[in-house]
Amino acid sequence: MARNSYSIGIVFIGLAVLLLLGKLGVFQFIFSFFWPLVLLVPGLLFHLLYFNRRLPAGVLVPGGILTVYALMFFFCNLFGWGSMAYIWPGFLLGPAIGLYELHLFDRGSDRGIWIAAMVLGVIAAALFALTLLVKLGIYVIALILVVVGLSMIFRKRRLW
């Protein structure tokens, strides 16, 4: 009987700690930061199941999409949701990576899958560049001017 009451006492103490942590907002804080794991875990699980030969290569497409989206959301949790103004082309990059993985690891994949992955990837890269140029344009122009100025100052002069 003493051993049984000891175990029940530990369970009660554990429940009390969980209740207090919940009341203090610890779980709210943890969930508000780590909620992208809801996307990352299935994305990585799809990859794991494919590479362990449990599922066909088609699961790499949603696996790639979910993984990229989860990383984007972690980035926003870390640096603020205003950074979504810069990384939104990642929503096109996710399917591009998923399709490219399918093409890379499925020997019987059609060439159209590779073309779709490349088109989406190029569009995403162009939109990333355009977004950065629009949002940070003055800084990019200033950086280019500094690099050109430094190259003009420090280039070797030729004597004729």
Side-chain angles (χ1 to χ4, degrees), residues 17-28:
V17 168
L18 287 176
L19 286 172
L20 289 174
L21 288 175
K23 188 67 176 165
L24 293 172
V26 172
F27 296 125
Q28 173 69 27

Side-chain angles (χ1 to χ4, degrees), residues 16-81:
V17 168
L18 287 176
L19 286 172
L20 289 174
L21 288 175
K23 188 67 176 165
L24 293 172
V26 172
F27 296 125
Q28 173 69 27
F29 171 75
I30 289 172
F31 184 73
S32 70
F33 186 76
F34 290 107
W35 69 266
L37 287 174
V38 172
L39 299 177
L40 186 63
V41 169
L44 294 177
L45 189 63
F46 282 145
H47 284 89
L48 181 71
L49 290 173
Y50 168 73
F51 288 114
N52 283 332
R53 307 285 187 237
R54 302 267 193 254
L55 291 176
V59 299
L60 292 173
V61 176
I65 293 170
L66 289 174
T67 303
V68 169
Y69 289 0
L71 293 175
M72 287 173 55
F73 295 146
F74 270 124
F75 185 86
C76 287
N77 278 344
L78 220 64
F79 298 106
W81 284 90

